[in-house]
Amino acid sequence: MPTVLEVKDLVTRFHTPEGIVYAVNGVSFRVDEGETLAIVGESGSGKSVTMLTLMQLIPKPPGEVVSGEAIFLGHDLLKMSNDEIRHVRGAQMAMIFQDAMTSLNPVLTIGKQIMEPMLVHQGVTNEQARNRAVELLRMVGIPRPEGRLEDYPHQFSGGMRQRVMIAMALACTPQVLIADEPTTALDVTIQAQIVDLVKRLRAELGMAIIWITHDLGIVAGLANRVQVMYAGFVVERSPVHELYKSPQHPYTRGLLGSLPRIDAGADSRLVSIKGLPPDMLHPPKGCPFAARCPYVFAQCVDNPPLLPVNPEHETACWWDIDQGKPRYER
């Protein structure tokens, strides 16, 4: 499959009155045509900031893109002018945000909001945009779509508002869809419906998806590959089934251990990760997970790069958990 987006060594900082926040620290990844890449990590790990950086949506100041490349269809997103990136946002790359109620304009009908990207990017008539909006609402499973175009966001339930956001994102049939925790505020039944909807639309439209989440339970049946982030670093990268079968980073094991399992015994307990994430105003010098890691040893004073486990699986950990010894001896 051809690669549609390749990010190399992305570094993003925020200059605040308290000091510099080291939000994203050398993140690299690629997304191939038609695949779903899940980016997983707890709040503050740099997942959303990475995506907002690519879309040039971080405020400058206080935000600053220190270095990196984001090659999308042969062009570097980070070097585009405001006019150039506006032609990419919404048309070729689209983003679904976490909270649909704050992302939708409360004083505009949802019909106007879905039609706007088509009118801006595709030069269609109002009637053509309206017909397409009805088609999109039907596609995302909203009943009686013709009658709902004149409704306002507050007239929709949380799950329906998220469907409207998906319809807006798909208006111009983007090559890459970024979904930033789109199911976080929804109950589990609606979560499952939204995940099934995105999988169906991916199959129908052939777009690539970047799915950002803190919940490894969601991505098992959705993603092709998973990238785990911690403290602004990528700490593990793997095909999804291998990550569940053989996680190689202690943080990934901690995330998986905190998930309820159907096959667990009656006396089994969920595992918590001790301690707190590092303060990114004062990031640690060595491995960012060392203070919380049960396997920490002398070599962890150096921050490990992504080390190969096999050709498709990498982990940023000096310790081989399976073998019970250092992965590389110094």
Side-chain angles (χ1 to χ4, degrees):
M1 286 287 187
T3 297
V4 290
L5 175 65
E6 186 167 13
V7 177
K8 301 175 185 175
D9 298 320
L10 185 67
V11 177
T12 304
R13 307 274 186 260
F14 289 93
H15 299 269
T16 71
E18 292 78 26
I20 299 173
V21 177
Y22 296 82
V24 177
N25 303 299
V27 168
S28 300
F29 62 90
R30 74 169 208 282
V31 187
D32 296 335
E33 189 178 283
E35 82 159 339
T36 299
L37 171 70
I39 298 183
V40 179
E42 62 196 270
S43 297
S45 62
K47 311 181 303 293
S48 297
V49 173
T50 298
M51 297 305 134
L52 292 172
T53 301
L54 302 185
M55 303 285 274
Q56 290 198 28
L57 289 174
I58 62 165
K60 301 176 187 177
E64 178 194 8
V65 183
V66 176
S67 62
E69 291 181 328
I71 307 301
F72 174 65
L73 300 177
H75 301 282
D76 190 348
L77 295 171
L78 305 180
K79 290 195 169 95
M80 288 184 177
S81 66
N82 287 336
D83 285 340
E84 288 171 331
I85 196 68
R86 269 199 293 266
H87 286 295
V88 172
R89 285 196 300 249
Q92 298 168 288
M93 291 180 68
M95 194 162 180
I96 307 167
F97 294 95
Q98 190 171 132
D99 185 354
M101 195 64 212
T102 57
S103 301
L104 293 167
N105 191 323
V107 299
L108 293 180
T109 65
I110 62 107
K112 284 194 176 192
Q113 295 185 63
I114 295 172
M115 290 163 60
E116 183 182 15
M118 292 180 274
L119 295 170
V120 169
H121 295 295
Q122 296 183 324
V124 297
T125 65
N126 269 299
E127 184 180 357
Q128 289 170 323
R130 185 181 178 84
N131 291 339
R132 173 68 173 154
V134 170
E135 181 187 329
L136 286 163
L137 288 181
R138 186 176 290 114
M139 186 188 294
V140 298
I142 291 184
R144 299 177 293 101
E146 297 87 351
R148 305 231 59 182
L149 285 181
E150 302 307 317
D151 288 346
Y152 291 86
H154 71 271
Q155 295 173 273
F156 290 78
S157 67
M160 287 297 176
R161 282 197 294 267
Q162 203 58 274
R163 289 171 186 263
V164 169
M165 285 291 296
I166 294 171
M168 285 176 61
L170 298 177
C172 296
T173 319
Q175 283 103 322
V176 177
L177 177 67
I178 300 170
D180 187 0
E181 304 213 37
T183 61
T184 296
L186 307 176
D187 65 59
V188 290
T189 306
I190 306 300
Q191 275 187 15
Q193 291 176 4
I194 296 295
V195 170
D196 286 342
L197 168 64
V198 170
K199 285 165 67 176
R200 177 171 61 81
L201 294 174
R202 177 188 64 188
E204 289 177 9
L205 304 175
M207 61 191 171
I209 298 171
I210 301 173
W211 188 281
I212 302 169
T213 183
H214 63 273
D215 185 357
L216 268 169
I218 286 179
V219 304
L222 175 68
N224 304 102
R225 291 184 298 117
V226 182
Q227 178 160 291
V228 181
M229 288 187 66
Y230 184 79
F233 294 93
V234 177
V235 295
E236 188 157 7
R237 182 185 293 136
S238 167
V240 64
H241 298 301
E242 185 168 337
L243 189 88
Y244 283 84
K245 180 182 175 183
S246 180
Q248 294 297 309
H249 196 281
Y251 177 61
T252 310
R253 293 207 171 193
L255 290 178
L256 288 168
S258 68
L259 292 175
R261 295 177 62 99
I262 294 174
D263 58 354
D267 58 346
S268 68
R269 300 180 64 86
L270 299 181
V271 178
S272 63
I273 302 173
K274 69 174 186 178
L276 295 171
D279 177 3
M280 298 315 290
L281 280 165
H282 310 285
K285 299 297 183 191
C287 172
F289 192 63
R292 308 173 74 184
C293 182
Y295 305 102
V296 65
F297 71 116
Q299 199 166 336
C300 300
V301 295
D302 297 326
N303 191 8
L306 281 166
L307 304 168
V309 177
N310 63 47
E312 293 188 305
H313 191 170
E314 298 173 294
T315 183
C317 184
W318 295 119
W319 188 259
D320 189 324
I321 300 173
D322 292 336
Q323 298 295 323
K325 63 180 184 179
R327 202 172 292 276
Y328 292 100
E329 297 283 0
R330 282 196 299 186

